[in-house]
Amino acid sequence: MLELQSIVKEWQPPQGVARPLLRGVSVSVAAGETVALLGSSGSGKSTLLRIAAGLEAADAGSVRMDGQDITALPPERRGFALMFQDFALFPHLNVQDNVAFGLVEQRVPRKAARDQAVAMLARFGLSAYTHSKVWQLSGGEQQRVALARALITRPRALLLDEPFSALDADLRLQLRAEFKAHIAEHRMATLWVTHDEAEARAVAVRGYRLQDGVFCPIW
């Protein structure tokens, strides 16, 4: 279970006075469960994901995974996968090596990592693009590559920041179903940031709106 406990964060603009962004926010996400976070731009949704991932420090509060306090752990030791809306793929690597990257970082031998990447790409119908550059792929194909890269390391938690915002409606529906199936299969605790309440209700067991630094339950 992923737990964010009493997270506090102030936002300091380049000019002006600091203001509270997160006012003691708490949320828990069980293995295989998806919780949606909604809110306007600048409400602190992405900041909360970055704190969960270890990319940004909270002013107060803690992050726990399966009962262990991991607040002080660096991102690479948390075993989480964070997916941004721009996919964050490496343009200098081909599709196979993009997917294998996380395994190589975990010191899996390169050949074994590439073999696992080929198998994962086959699951997503991307075998024909193994040696392609990622910029040669469509938006939906790039999203599948990003998902394959996230899943191959078997992360304990998946943190999604507007993953489908740049895609058309039909593709969003298709990928939404794929994500939901894989999250359940791999038993990942998932925090899903989105501005689309219909999408949130389709994938998440619970939804919260982040407003004025606090969570308001939606369902």
Side-chain angles (χ1 to χ4, degrees):
M1 177 178 287
L2 172 63
E3 298 173 276
L4 305 181
Q5 297 181 339
S6 303
I7 301 296
V8 174
K9 184 71 176 180
E10 280 196 342
W11 177 63
Q12 177 65 62
Q15 296 179 338
V17 179
R19 68 172 178 86
L21 187 63
L22 302 170
R23 304 172 185 259
V25 169
S26 297
V27 65
S28 61
V29 191
E33 183 178 70
T34 299
V35 171
L37 306 180
L38 295 95
S40 59
S41 296
S43 61
K45 306 184 304 299
S46 296
T47 298
L48 189 63
L49 283 194
R50 292 177 63 83
I51 290 171
L55 298 174
E56 192 167 336
D59 297 330
S62 64
V63 180
R64 303 180 71 85
M65 188 69 197
D66 295 334
Q68 178 188 4
D69 190 334
I70 61 170
T71 308
L73 281 184
E76 65 272 14
R77 293 185 57 196
R78 297 193 179 197
F80 295 177
L82 176 60
M83 294 179 60
F84 295 99
Q85 56 186 301
D86 61 359
F87 312 149
L89 298 173
F90 302 114
H92 64 290
L93 299 179
N94 64 23
V95 169
Q96 179 187 41
D97 285 341
N98 260 279
V99 175
F101 181 83
L103 293 177
V104 173
E105 287 291 292
Q106 293 178 350
R107 301 186 184 280
V108 174
R110 190 173 298 274
K111 183 181 185 306
R114 284 175 166 167
D115 288 345
Q116 290 185 50
V118 169
M120 183 64 76
L121 287 168
R123 292 181 59 182
F124 286 91
L126 293 169
S127 295
Y129 302 101
T130 299
H131 300 292
S132 300
K133 294 295 185 182
V134 292
W135 47 264
Q136 296 175 310
L137 275 58
S138 68
E141 290 161 348
Q142 289 184 33
Q143 182 63 76
R144 285 185 171 88
V145 172
L147 178 58
R149 185 178 67 179
L151 293 179
I152 200 169
T153 59
R154 299 188 179 276
R156 298 192 293 172
L158 184 60
L159 310 172
L160 303 171
D161 193 355
E162 298 277 12
F164 303 152
S165 62
L167 305 181
D168 63 55
D170 289 342
L171 192 53
R172 288 171 73 107
L173 288 173
Q174 181 179 347
L175 289 177
R176 181 193 301 169
E178 288 183 13
F179 269 57
K180 192 171 183 178
H182 284 288
I183 287 166
E185 177 186 351
H186 291 272
R187 301 287 294 161
M188 292 178 289
T190 302
L191 274 176
W192 188 309
V193 164
T194 179
H195 66 279
D196 186 333
E197 186 170 335
E199 178 176 274
R201 288 182 179 275
V203 299
V205 295
R206 284 177 285 124
Y208 299 91
R209 189 174 305 281
L210 186 54
Q211 187 172 357
D212 296 327
V214 298
F215 274 159
C216 302
I218 306 174
W219 71 90

